[in-house]
Amino acid sequence: MCGIVGYAGARPALGIVLDGLRRLEYRGYDSAGVAVVCDGELLTEKKAGKLANLEKVLSERAAEDPTSCAASPIGIGDGTTAIGHTRWATHGGPTDRNAHPHVSPDGRVAVIHNGIIENFAKLRAELEADGVQFASDTDTECAAHL
């Protein structure tokens, strides 16, 4: 079952969001992802499988570039605004590319969503006819492009 956690406040947001996602693990899911605003930049990470897979990638990301916004003890900076999602596949298989969040083409908006966009096939066809290239097989990505 999908779950959404968000935080906007004065404290570093990623740890709070990850703690919230851990509390949702009992519900079952096939992937997890986060988006954090850090130094005016939208940073995302998503991974198929358990939350531990996502946390491992976040730790590795911080270790690779200790001078970047990504280099905090929690993985993606100390941004104070973040969203997180655990996904149970409805459109597209349980893969890294289908995990949420999905990002707008300009990289300024991250979208997570629970449920089904019932007219997504029509929306997707219209967007693709306009030249939009999709990075996933999900209905949610349509919202990011719109």
Side-chain angles (χ1 to χ4, degrees):
M1 179 182 291
C2 297
I4 296 173
V5 177
Y7 176 81
R11 297 185 301 162
L14 184 59
I16 294 166
V17 168
L18 289 173
D19 285 344
L21 292 178
R22 269 187 224 98
R23 292 178 186 188
L24 296 175
E25 284 189 294
Y26 74 93
R27 298 160 43 134
Y29 61 99
D30 61 38
S31 59
V34 293
V36 179
V37 178
C38 185
D39 293 339
E41 184 180 359
L42 179 63
L43 303 170
T44 63
E45 193 63 67
K46 52 191 189 171
K47 202 73 183 145
K50 296 294 180 191
L51 186 58
N53 296 346
L54 174 64
E55 291 174 314
K56 180 180 182 219
V57 169
L58 292 171
S59 293
E60 290 169 354
R61 183 176 179 170
E64 286 175 9
D65 188 358
T67 63
S68 77
C69 189
S72 79
I74 54 177
I76 302 183
D78 293 324
T80 59
T81 302
I83 56 174
H85 189 260
T86 55
R87 175 179 182 261
W88 194 258
T90 53
H91 291 101
T95 63
D96 291 352
R97 67 182 246 128
N98 288 333
H100 296 200
H102 295 288
V103 179
S104 64
D106 64 5
R108 295 177 44 95
V109 175
V111 177
I112 57 179
H113 152 254
N114 288 354
I116 296 172
I117 299 173
E118 295 198 13
N119 64 337
F120 97 96
K122 180 179 187 281
L123 292 171
R124 184 176 179 123
E126 290 172 1
L127 288 164
E128 287 177 328
D130 288 341
V132 172
Q133 294 186 348
F134 282 76
S136 79
D137 303 312
T138 69
D139 56 346
T140 303
E141 189 180 359
C142 288
H145 288 288
L146 292 170

